Amino acid sequence: MRNNKGFGKFEVITMIVVLLVVFAFVFYLVLQGANKQRFETMKDNALTFSKTVATNTASFHYGDVVYLDEVVDNGLSNKIPNPIGGGSCDGTQSRINTIDGRTYATLRCGKYLIDQADFSDKEKVAIYEVSDWQEKKIDGEDVQERELYNCEIDGKNVFDQYYEDLYFVYRYNKEYGDSAYFPDQISDTNCKVVSKTFYRTRKEIS
């Protein structure tokens, strides 16, 4: 059966399918381009974060590892907007490590992560997709394992989540007005330090 313009049902369906494929491909290209730009913005934010820490080392209690929350609390930076999913980048997992005078940036924004990146060559900086830390063990090749910390009073956690060792010390010092540098320097006077092993997946995507 053909319509008034001489097209049969098969030809019409074929044209619709072809157009849908073309539109899907164009949409994919636009989305890929938008994601690439967002990842570039994330890299730029990590580099700015690194420079802020490098030029203000004396402002921090422990200059070799400085977390984004500490930089914000010291009034040296605003929270970093998440360029990919809205909200702000994670101040508890974003940090600058300084090793032998070189800075390495870690920036987590939503489910995306720049992990201890050396920005001497920005084009080589990798973007990873990561899951949240969880206590249940995960099997596989792209799995990270880390000891995270909290402290307890009468068997109850002081903080609402477990943190990386030096971020935990930062939060503890802020909470109790102390000046510890490492978890093992914290006595049981204020709270009992506890730790657990957590796991997450990490996969390079860009």
Side-chain angles (χ1 to χ4, degrees), residues 33-44:
N35 281 341
K36 184 177 181 181
Q37 182 55 50
R38 293 185 183 110
F39 289 148
E40 288 302 310
T41 300
M42 186 174 173
K43 290 180 183 181
D44 289 339

Side-chain angles (χ1 to χ4, degrees), residues 23-151:
F23 287 144
F25 181 69
V26 171
F27 180 75
Y28 171 79
L29 292 178
V30 171
L31 186 62
Q32 288 295 101
N35 281 341
K36 184 177 181 181
Q37 182 55 50
R38 293 185 183 110
F39 289 148
E40 288 302 310
T41 300
M42 186 174 173
K43 290 180 183 181
D44 289 339
N45 289 341
L47 179 57
T48 299
F49 175 31
S50 179
K51 289 179 178 178
T52 300
V53 171
T55 55
N56 293 278
T57 303
S59 301
F60 308 112
H61 177 62
Y62 185 67
D64 289 343
V65 182
V66 179
Y67 284 85
L68 177 57
D69 272 355
E70 185 176 3
V71 179
V72 173
D73 288 346
N74 283 358
L76 297 170
S77 172
N78 295 320
K79 291 183 178 180
I80 298 176
N82 179 355
I84 303 166
S88 299
C89 297
D90 193 329
T92 72
Q93 296 185 40
S94 302
R95 66 181 184 278
I96 302 299
N97 292 69
T98 302
I99 303 171
D100 296 329
R102 297 182 67 88
T103 57
Y104 299 85
T106 297
L107 182 65
R108 177 165 182 180
C109 303
K111 64 180 181 179
Y112 298 104
L113 176 74
I114 293 172
D115 199 1
Q116 294 202 94
D118 176 3
F119 272 88
S120 58
D121 188 346
K122 180 183 170 184
E123 294 303 315
K124 292 183 178 180
V125 173
I127 303 286
Y128 299 91
E129 185 173 331
V130 294
S131 65
D132 291 329
W133 290 110
Q134 64 175 55
E135 291 184 59
K136 184 178 179 180
K137 189 171 183 179
I138 306 171
D139 295 321
E141 295 181 358
D142 300 320
V143 176
Q144 292 183 304
E145 175 182 329
R146 188 163 298 173
E147 200 77 5
L148 302 181
Y149 292 79
N150 208 322
C151 60

Side-chain angles (χ1 to χ4, degrees), residues 138-194:
I138 306 171
D139 295 321
E141 295 181 358
D142 300 320
V143 176
Q144 292 183 304
E145 175 182 329
R146 188 163 298 173
E147 200 77 5
L148 302 181
Y149 292 79
N150 208 322
C151 60
E152 295 180 345
I153 297 176
D154 297 330
K156 295 182 179 180
N157 290 336
V158 172
F159 304 115
D160 58 1
Q161 68 184 82
Y162 280 67
Y163 297 116
E164 296 177 6
D165 53 356
L166 297 182
Y167 184 86
F168 162 71
V169 173
Y170 167 68
R171 281 295 306 270
Y172 171 85
N173 288 340
K174 183 179 177 182
E175 182 77 15
Y176 294 103
D178 206 344
S179 57
Y181 285 90
F182 302 101
D184 59 10
Q185 294 177 342
I186 296 174
S187 70
D188 292 344
T189 304
N190 294 315
C191 62
K192 178 184 177 182
V193 177
V194 292

